[in-house]
Amino acid sequence: MKQVVQAASGGAVRVLDVPVPIIGPTEVLVATAATIVSAGTERAVTELARSGLLAKARARPDLVRKVAEKARTDGLVPAARSVRDRLGSDVPLGYSGCGRVVEVGSAVAGIRPGDLVATGGAGRANHAEFQAVPGLLCARVPDGVEPGAAAFATIGSIALHGLRLAEVGPGAKVVVVGLGLVGQLAARLALASGCEVAGIDLAELPLATAAAVGVHALPEVGEATTAAVRAWSRGRGADTVLICAAGRSAEPVMRATALARDRAQLVVIGDVGLGLLRAPFYDKELTLRFARSYGPGRYERGYEDWGVDYPAGQVRWTEGRNQEAVLDLLAAGRLRVDDLVTHAFPIDAAPQAYQLVADRSEPYLAIRFDYPAAVPTLPGSRQPEQVAGGQVAGEAVQLPAPRPRRRPRLPHQRGAAAGRRGSRVGWIGAGAFSATVLLPAFRAAGFDQFVTVASAGGRSARSFADRHGFAGAVAGADAVLDDDDIDVVVIATPHATHAELAVRALERGRNVWCEKPLALTFDELDRVEKAAAAGGGVLVVGYNRRFSPVVGAARTALAARTGPLTIVYRIAAGGVPAGHWYNDRVQGGRLLGEVCHFVDTCAALAGSEVEAVAALAGREAELLLASDLAVSLRHADGSLSTVAYSSARPRGARKEQVEALAGTRHARIDDYRELVVDGRSVWKGAQDKGHRDAAAAFLRMCRGGDTAVTAELLASSRATLAAADALGVEAVCSPGAPRA
């Protein structure tokens, strides 16, 4: 399919051929009919992409801080690699559209294949021939509303949410500062609500367009405009001012203070600067509010990703219900948008549209992209042709059918798998970790045939394939798992998907590298173990630290010990933003998602599996999502390990420190940069957490080498699950039992 993107490193907007996205349970696949360019927002994205590194740094100081922290902890080379990868990515454009439903996720209610729906959500409802959109951001289009008009629903929701925050009703005097597309919609929605509306702008086209629908249109000329507003409002000033302008200056906000009455509401909808003076706000006791996009639910994972709606009795106007309100106003004829479209382009001509936006060679308001009237014919169970009420309209487009599935290899066929030499790699997951850490490690280890990369949406896979030399890119894991030419499957997806993908790959006889954690429950781990035993392929979990040279040197130094070890592994992990996946219980939190690394390293240093586990968590969050943890392990040989995991990150502290003591021996690992044994430095170098050596060990295993380490990796996975089970109580973890 075609999709419009902007390279983060700059250059012109491009139309790429990318795979059709695969939807999740809470999503809807939509064949796009029309999308609307939000010129202000999208121009800001393209201008930032085309700016230099210094301008990017000024615009995103939060990312600069992340890079600086990564350089401090991991070194300059990994930090630079991370920056290059981010700049090499493509940014999807668009967020407001309309199309015909092709496929509906199992957890979506009220939408069926064949429905015409308005779509929303940046990064989801893109300028693309097919969109994978959260079900709660798909609103059914009423009869009589054309797709080109319905495509305004999400942009209209931005304006409507701002108007709701103003808390005005019939007869209120509303001033709209900035009559671009959002300003035009805000003015029309205010009129539809019974308000009196004045609009202010500098340009002729927006003023004339607003005046044509009954807005008191005023050119911005300073004091004369202020006087006109005061006269229009019977000398009081506006009851509310909606600031829909965009730019770095704070002038639109300060200008609004002169237009407003005493104790009025000012609502910022546009992206404006905020270098404000206190006195004008104080003198009139003005209220300044900021509208957050489309309304309640925006940027909230529970709503957008997991499909958990707010009860209407608690939150009447969510972002989805704002979409519905805009569509109802269109259906009733109380809102008109067709005259706002000044330019329409086929999707193939999108670069011309963005050139118009960039150079402003002619006036414009709304720019619409039109798409071929087509509904896809999907393979297998995804067939959408027949729906209630008849045939889906539109020309059928046949998508590529999946390759035939490989039959699982039986145990006696394992030699054949090794004979293929385990070198043709299919990669599932196209994130930053794959690009900056894992893939370079695989290349350095000797893997050289990278066949296909998959991502859920397909776009990031296409970009990843182009940047990193994969032969093909696909949407969804099935195309990788079902490809008979692939011997090795790398799983680098969100944690909750690891076990299922590993089982499916192993059952097909593939050699599997699965990033940690391997499983989030004992039942999942049991399934993986059974698949590994029956499928014939090699299994390695991405517990890379046990393969690092410093851990190897420490094991050698401690090999001659006369008694059990006492190990203390201290981690100063640092905090994470509220929206980080560590705070997502579906993904297992820090314990299952990261502490598993350190449990495995302790087992590797001791050279002995874990037989008993105890764990404690801090009080600041639910147990599984705790950011401060202490895990104690007893190994089969009597060694004791303690993992002290902290969300603190003092500037002078290394992230990871390991001490191991036994009899007269003392070994200390300093952040994988140095090993000190009995007070003497025996290994020192650049930080090396073992990613390359782990990949090299995996390659040897794929080619028929010793696979004994797999049992140790599985045992560490089971011990970590036991730690989750043991938060607050002691549990026993034996190799043959799922839990105590």
Side-chain angles (χ1 to χ4, degrees):
M1 72 169 188
K2 296 180 174 65
Q3 181 168 25
V4 181
V5 300
Q6 168 68 63
S9 58
V13 168
R14 297 173 295 155
V15 179
L16 299 182
D17 284 318
V18 303
V20 174
I22 300 294
I23 62 169
T26 62
E27 294 179 312
V28 176
L29 182 65
V30 177
T32 312
T35 55
I36 304 298
V37 175
S38 178
T41 299
E42 296 181 46
R43 182 173 60 242
V45 172
T46 57
E47 287 180 350
L48 178 60
R50 294 167 183 169
S51 64
L53 286 176
L54 183 59
K56 287 182 169 74
R58 288 172 175 167
R60 294 297 306 273
D62 57 322
L63 295 181
V64 174
R65 287 191 293 271
K66 288 182 180 179
V67 171
E69 176 65 14
K70 187 172 184 64
R72 183 172 73 86
T73 58
D74 298 343
L76 290 175
V77 172
R81 188 184 296 134
S82 177
V83 171
R84 284 196 302 270
D85 182 71
R86 189 175 185 89
L87 291 176
S89 64
D90 292 319
V91 180
L93 299 173
Y95 62 83
S96 187
C98 177
R100 190 73 62 178
V101 173
V102 174
E103 187 179 3
V104 180
S106 59
V108 176
I111 296 175
R112 297 180 300 175
D115 286 346
L116 186 67
V117 294
T119 59
R124 306 162 188 266
N126 308 129
H127 301 310
E129 289 183 299
F130 297 95
Q131 311 167 38
V133 186
L136 290 179
L137 290 180
C138 286
R140 294 179 63 183
V141 177
D143 293 340
V145 178
E146 293 298 319
F152 281 84
T154 299
I155 296 179
S157 297
I158 296 173
L160 181 57
H161 179 53
L163 183 64
R164 294 195 194 284
L165 292 180
E167 299 177 346
V168 291
K173 301 288 187 179
V174 176
V175 171
V176 179
V177 175
L179 291 172
L181 179 55
V182 172
Q184 296 282 344
L185 291 167
R188 295 177 185 214
L189 289 165
L191 287 172
S193 301
C195 301
E196 298 292 324
V197 183
I200 299 174
D201 204 283
L202 295 168
E204 293 182 6
L205 175 62
L207 289 168
T209 304
V213 295
V215 175
H216 184 48
L218 299 169
E220 176 56 276
V221 291
E223 288 300 324
T225 303
T226 303
V229 169
R230 297 197 70 82
W232 167 76
S233 61
R234 296 186 175 89
R236 302 185 186 97
D239 296 303
T240 193
V241 181
L242 305 179
I243 302 157
C244 299
R248 297 180 181 178
S249 171
E251 177 57 28
V253 182
M254 296 307 303
R255 186 76 180 88
T257 64
L259 304 171
R261 64 164 169 81
D262 191 60
R263 295 181 175 83
Q265 297 262 13
L266 310 185
V267 181
V268 177
I269 301 175
D271 184 7
V272 294
L274 291 174
L276 307 178
L277 299 176
R278 177 176 181 272
F281 293 91
Y282 176 83
D283 291 344
K284 290 185 176 180
E285 201 172 349
L286 299 173
T287 298
L288 181 63
R289 306 185 73 174
F290 294 84
R292 188 171 71 180
S293 199
Y294 330 137
R298 186 70 182 115
Y299 307 116
E300 296 177 24
R301 295 199 64 194
Y303 183 93
E304 294 188 342
D305 292 347
W306 304 334
V308 181
D309 201 355
Y310 294 103
Q314 302 297 321
V315 181
R316 176 63 182 93
W317 296 111
T318 61
E319 51 182 332
R321 291 195 271 268
N322 277 333
Q323 284 180 313
E324 294 172 348
V326 172
L327 292 170
D328 288 343
L329 289 170
L330 289 168
R334 295 167 61 191
L335 176 64
R336 178 187 172 194
V337 295
D338 58 302
D339 61 316
L340 294 175
V341 179
T342 56
H343 298 77
F345 295 86
I347 186 62
D348 290 325
Q352 297 172 229
Y354 285 95
Q355 189 60 46
L356 169 66
V357 170
D359 59 28
R360 309 186 195 194
S361 55
E362 56 185 275
Y364 62 84
L365 284 172
I367 298 172
R368 188 183 70 227
F369 291 144
D370 296 319
Y371 299 76
V375 172
T377 301
L378 300 174
S381 62
R382 300 176 70 199
Q383 295 285 12
E385 294 97 322
Q386 296 292 335
V387 298
Q391 183 83 9
V392 175
E395 176 188 357
V397 177
Q398 180 68 46
L399 297 185
R403 293 176 182 261
R405 290 189 175 182
R406 167 187 284 184
R407 295 175 181 173
R409 292 194 183 102
L410 300 176
H412 70 274
Q413 297 173 305
R414 294 182 183 182
R420 294 285 295 274
R421 301 191 64 78
S423 59
R424 295 182 60 79
V425 180
W427 204 282
I428 306 175
F433 178 77
S434 282
T436 62
V437 178
L438 200 54
L439 182 57
F442 267 63
R443 290 192 188 280
F447 287 95
D448 57 4
Q449 298 184 67
F450 295 92
V451 180
T452 306
V453 60
S455 66
R459 176 193 54 79
S460 59
R462 178 72 273 163
S463 176
F464 193 96
D466 292 343
R467 299 197 318 271
H468 300 295
F470 279 76
V474 295
D478 286 351
V480 171
L481 297 175
D482 295 337
D483 189 340
D484 195 49
D485 291 334
I486 288 173
D487 299 302
V488 174
V489 173
V490 175
I491 299 168
T493 53
H495 293 179
T497 65
H498 286 185
E500 179 64 24
L501 292 174
V503 167
R504 293 172 61 193
L506 289 165
E507 287 177 344
R508 288 161 171 79
R510 308 301 172 78
N511 300 313
V512 175
W513 172 288
C514 183
E515 266 307 305
K516 52 81 183 171
L518 179 61
L520 298 180
T521 68
F522 286 107
D523 289 340
E524 285 185 347
L525 185 58
D526 288 343
R527 290 183 59 215
V528 174
E529 287 185 315
K530 290 177 182 177
V538 167
L539 171 64
V540 166
V541 187
Y543 295 144
N544 48 276
R545 283 164 175 78
R546 68 159 50 230
F547 296 97
S548 71
V550 68
V551 169
R555 293 181 66 171
T556 299
L558 296 169
R561 61 188 168 91
T562 57
L565 282 172
T566 298
I567 302 171
V568 178
Y569 199 139
R570 189 272 296 155
I571 304 97
V576 295
H580 193 278
W581 62 264
Y582 277 162
N583 298 316
D584 180 356
R585 62 186 57 82
V586 173
Q587 304 300 337
R590 291 192 176 201
L591 173 56
L592 297 182
E594 188 174 22
V595 174
C596 57
H597 258 318
F598 317 125
V599 170
D600 181 69
T601 308
C602 290
L605 283 169
S608 179
E609 290 184 5
V610 176
E611 68 173 11
V613 180
L616 291 172
R619 296 180 179 273
E620 76 286 355
E622 62 180 271
L623 292 176
L624 188 59
L625 300 184
S627 56
D628 296 298
L629 296 153
V631 177
S632 295
L633 313 168
R634 187 177 71 229
H635 301 267
D637 69 347
S639 294
L640 297 175
S641 298
T642 298
V643 178
Y645 184 95
S646 172
S647 60
R649 194 61 186 278
R651 289 192 60 83
R654 298 283 197 182
K655 181 180 178 181
E656 297 178 38
Q657 296 273 7
V658 188
E659 283 194 275
L661 302 94
T664 61
R665 306 309 307 266
H666 174 214
R668 187 183 79 248
I669 298 173
D670 184 5
D671 212 22
Y672 294 87
R673 304 170 193 267
E674 184 178 16
L675 171 64
V676 178
V677 178
D678 298 334
R680 183 173 61 89
S681 178
V682 300
W683 187 96
K684 193 170 186 179
Q687 185 182 63
D688 188 342
K689 294 183 180 179
H691 294 97
R692 183 180 62 183
D693 290 326
F698 178 49
L699 181 58
R700 290 193 297 272
M701 293 166 67
C702 292
R703 293 177 174 176
D706 184 9
T707 61
V709 71
T710 296
E712 297 178 27
L713 301 174
L714 289 168
S716 293
S717 298
R718 192 168 293 278
T720 306
L721 291 171
D725 206 35
L727 282 175
V729 296
E730 186 174 3
V732 175
C733 171
S734 62
R739 57 172 66 102

